[in-house]
Amino acid sequence: MRHVVVIGAGITGVTTAYELALAGYQVTVIDRHLYPAMETSFANGGQLSACNAEVWNQKATVLKGIKWMSQKTAPLLLNPSFSVHKYSWLMEFLGNIKHYEANTRETVRLALLARARLYEIAQTEQIDFDLEKRGILHFYHNKTDYDVAIKVNDLLCSGGLERNAISNAEIKQIEPALTGDYYAGFYCQSDATGDIHKFSTGLAKACMQKGVKFEFGQDVFAVDHQAQHIRVKCKPSTENVHHSTDDILEINADAIVVCAGVGSYQLAEILEERVNVYPVKGYSITVQLNDEQSQNNAPWVSLLDESAKIVLSRLGKDRLRVAGTAEFNGYNRDIRADRIQPLIDWSNRNFDLCTEHVVPWAGLRPMMPNMMPVVRRGQHERVFYNTGHGHLGWTLSAATAALISKEIAQYYPA
């Protein structure tokens, strides 16, 4: 039986391990944390959103970013301090503006495939992850924003998405919990929401039952290419209290798949190639709906507010996830109060509920300059990539996992 090592136990790593195990491979997953899904897959916005498949490569995005640089609470924030990694990424981002339409259509196609596959996996493995198939409602506050959105919607629908224009009255009908007045919106009935961490940990357990081995608390520091195999060398991560940092773990495999999120950039360097993933920071709050009034007044339909660039998902009876912002600030994971407060203010402004008990979080989205995931064979034999999903890891992972497992099977059949 051929052996494949998957580096990373987030949503892409766990779905990749699952597909490989189904295909008959022996699989080992390595992660530097002590549990699965502890970074970007821990507390994202919760949306399985084909309707959010538009790539960001537009001049308008760049202009907004420049305009917002001086505003600490702006939805998009770019730290102008120099870094070769950041500025090379930004230059490549600009170079991909010409691929905006084609990449958006391809992202829609992948998202629709992924959604169907994820539902299938959840049902087969009986994973409870607070799934709500109530659609996603995207609302706008003024005519200018809405007119731009009509063109975007036409593009998304040309990629196969079903998404309908709705009036302010229809917005209130679909989600009565909204208390504001809005210009108009779009409703994608087939999209859904769920808890990414619950799904990832549930799927990791299903993987273990299928014989997948997990090596937690391990950092990959070297990869040796041998004639008949590839050797992965790991040492305990700083949070691994069970082993001395002198302990070296060596694993031989027929192939490896890099699914390491923002760590994929450094791993690719170890593998002597360039995968230009950049960490784009996002924030979320989980509002604990501890009282009956808040539970009754909190929305069940998932929302996306265009002007604030904020998304909302209901996670079961007593939790609300509110997320947003994009911050270009390197690998900094600090939770900043001035970035969390706008999420709390937005929740209070739009809904009649209590925000006394709020859990803040920050995570780094692994973004490629063209906003497309890297799902391919590497430059060296036995190396594969499934990474760089940006803000759509939750939405795309089930499709890219199936694609990369088929790619591996072409070169190294199970």
Side-chain angles (χ1 to χ4, degrees):
M1 187 187 286
R2 289 195 190 265
H3 184 200
V4 180
V5 166
V6 176
I7 304 174
I11 185 67
T12 54
V14 172
T15 48
T16 299
Y18 179 78
E19 294 292 356
L20 288 167
L22 284 185
Y25 289 91
Q26 178 191 345
V27 184
T28 302
V29 181
I30 302 169
D31 196 278
R32 65 191 192 86
H33 294 287
L34 300 179
Y35 312 96
M38 292 304 291
E39 286 200 14
T40 314
S41 303
F42 187 76
N44 74 351
Q47 292 186 331
L48 290 159
S49 52
C51 71
N52 205 17
E54 181 196 11
V55 298
W56 297 1
N57 305 80
Q58 284 206 80
K59 287 175 187 171
T61 309
V62 179
L63 294 171
K64 280 178 186 173
I66 293 166
K67 185 181 81 175
W68 285 334
M69 272 169 75
S70 59
Q71 299 174 31
K72 281 187 176 180
T73 58
L76 176 65
L77 199 60
L78 172 68
N79 181 339
S81 65
F82 184 75
S83 123
V84 172
H85 185 188
K86 179 166 57 186
Y87 279 90
S88 72
W89 189 97
L90 290 169
M91 291 309 292
E92 284 182 44
F93 177 90
L94 294 172
N96 277 286
I97 289 174
K98 60 181 176 285
H99 302 303
Y100 161 76
E101 288 192 6
N103 285 350
T104 295
R105 283 195 196 96
E106 175 59 11
T107 306
V108 173
R109 187 187 74 82
L110 277 176
L112 295 175
L113 287 171
R115 195 171 61 193
R117 180 63 184 137
L118 187 133
Y119 292 163
E120 203 173 270
I121 293 168
Q123 192 169 7
T124 302
E125 303 301 338
Q126 293 295 292
I127 301 169
D128 174 20
F129 62 105
D130 297 319
L131 175 65
E132 291 294 337
K133 295 183 180 179
R134 301 187 192 226
I136 294 178
L137 174 58
H138 200 149
F139 59 85
Y140 302 82
H141 295 262
N142 57 63
K143 186 179 186 299
T144 308
D145 286 347
Y146 187 69
D147 287 347
V148 172
I150 291 170
K151 293 174 186 171
V152 175
N153 190 63
D154 290 344
L155 176 59
L156 293 170
C157 292
S158 75
L161 188 70
E162 288 183 29
R163 187 167 175 253
N164 305 313
I166 52 171
S167 65
N168 181 47
E170 287 170 314
I171 288 172
K172 298 290 181 64
Q173 246 177 349
I174 293 165
E175 186 41 81
L178 280 163
T179 57
D181 279 316
Y182 313 100
Y183 180 78
F186 290 98
Y187 182 48
C188 184
Q189 198 166 353
S190 57
D191 271 342
T193 55
D195 186 323
I196 187 172
H197 188 253
K198 273 191 174 183
F199 180 85
S200 301
T201 52
L203 190 58
K205 282 177 188 164
C207 285
M208 289 173 193
Q209 287 163 3
K210 287 176 170 45
V212 175
K213 189 177 180 186
F214 284 80
E215 293 287 355
F216 289 117
Q218 296 288 342
D219 259 327
V220 174
F221 70 90
V223 178
D224 296 337
H225 299 270
Q226 310 288 331
Q228 298 301 318
H229 63 265
I230 192 164
R231 180 175 294 157
V232 183
K233 294 181 179 179
C234 315
K235 57 186 175 185
S237 60
T238 49
E239 63 182 55
N240 190 344
V241 294
H242 305 296
H243 296 278
S244 151
T245 49
D246 298 328
D247 294 341
I248 301 295
L249 174 68
E250 294 190 1
I251 304 171
N252 292 333
D254 294 287
I256 64 168
V257 195
V258 176
C259 303
V262 295
S264 301
Y265 180 81
Q266 289 79 12
L267 277 164
E269 283 191 325
I270 289 171
L271 293 160
E272 299 175 333
E273 62 179 301
R274 186 169 178 271
V275 177
N276 201 13
V277 170
Y278 189 81
V280 179
K281 193 174 180 180
Y283 293 84
S284 79
I285 56 171
T286 305
V287 184
Q288 307 292 334
L289 306 170
N290 293 338
D291 60 284
E292 196 176 337
Q293 185 182 338
S294 293
Q295 289 171 10
N296 293 336
N297 292 343
W300 279 98
V301 174
S302 185
L303 305 169
L304 203 160
D305 181 343
E306 175 57 33
S307 64
K309 304 288 186 193
I310 287 174
V311 304
L312 173 147
S313 300
R314 183 75 177 259
L315 302 178
K317 180 187 171 187
D318 55 2
R319 290 185 304 149
L320 200 63
R321 178 71 48 74
V322 181
T325 76
E327 197 174 291
F328 290 77
N329 195 20
Y331 292 85
N332 180 294
R333 287 180 172 84
D334 293 350
I335 299 173
R336 287 173 43 180
D338 60 348
R339 305 295 277 160
I340 291 294
Q341 194 58 46
L343 300 176
I344 298 169
D345 294 344
W346 182 88
S347 304
N348 287 323
R349 193 162 59 245
N350 286 285
F351 312 101
D352 182 16
L353 51 82
C354 174
T355 53
E356 182 182 0
H357 301 283
V358 164
V359 181
W361 175 83
L364 303 176
R365 308 176 185 99
M367 286 197 168
M368 290 295 291
N370 63 353
M371 309 296 290
M372 302 297 289
V374 181
V375 189
R376 62 167 173 84
R377 190 185 183 202
Q379 289 169 9
H380 295 283
E381 279 195 29
R382 306 182 184 277
V383 175
F384 296 83
Y385 292 91
N386 181 19
T387 189
H389 295 63
H391 64 301
L392 293 174
W394 184 210
T395 298
L396 301 178
S397 56
T400 62
L403 289 170
I404 201 65
S405 65
K406 283 177 185 168
E407 181 89 354
I408 292 165
Q410 274 191 330
Y411 293 95
Y412 307 101

